[in-house]
Amino acid sequence: MQVPTVAIDGVPNPLPEGLVILDVREQIEWDAGHIDGALHIPLSELMNRVDEVPFDQTLVVCKVGGRSVQATAWLAGQGRDVVNLDGGMLDWEAAGRPMVSSTGQPPQVF
């Protein structure tokens, strides 16, 4: 199965209205820095929380793209309209895209 994937330069800036961002990193990574408005479901919880993932177009992210490609492949099999972000949050940060943190510290990819 070919997993739909996009590089950071293929992601519109600003993000289009209605695009869902699903972050599948662990809580500590999310807290350090994430995309504002993203849905956070760690990969380890995804199977049990799949009903929280909308059927709308969704960009799936993790730190570099390994966990998100797994999530994207599985979610596509569940009928979701999903695309993996190749390079993940590291490429997002390197491109200067906006992030927020939950720690009170400047956002960073952890």
Side-chain angles (χ1 to χ4, degrees), residues 19-105:
L19 177 68
V20 176
I21 307 294
L22 172 62
D23 191 322
V24 296
R25 297 175 301 151
E26 294 301 318
Q27 187 70 49
I28 192 167
E29 295 171 286
W30 166 268
D31 289 343
H34 58 272
I35 301 167
D36 194 22
L39 172 62
H40 179 227
I41 303 176
L43 182 61
S44 61
E45 299 175 18
L46 188 57
M47 290 180 79
N48 292 330
R49 296 177 59 189
V50 68
D51 291 341
E52 296 175 41
V53 180
F55 285 89
D56 302 327
Q57 186 175 44
T58 302
L59 181 66
V60 185
V61 302
C62 67
K63 183 175 182 179
V64 291
R67 288 171 284 181
S68 58
V69 80
Q70 293 175 47
T72 300
W74 187 78
L75 287 166
Q78 306 302 306
R80 298 312 198 276
D81 180 10
V82 286
V83 177
N84 175 54
L85 178 59
D86 187 38
M89 290 299 295
L90 286 176
D91 281 4
W92 182 275
E93 181 181 46
R97 298 288 184 104
M99 297 188 311
V100 296
S101 78
S102 302
T103 63
Q105 299 296 314

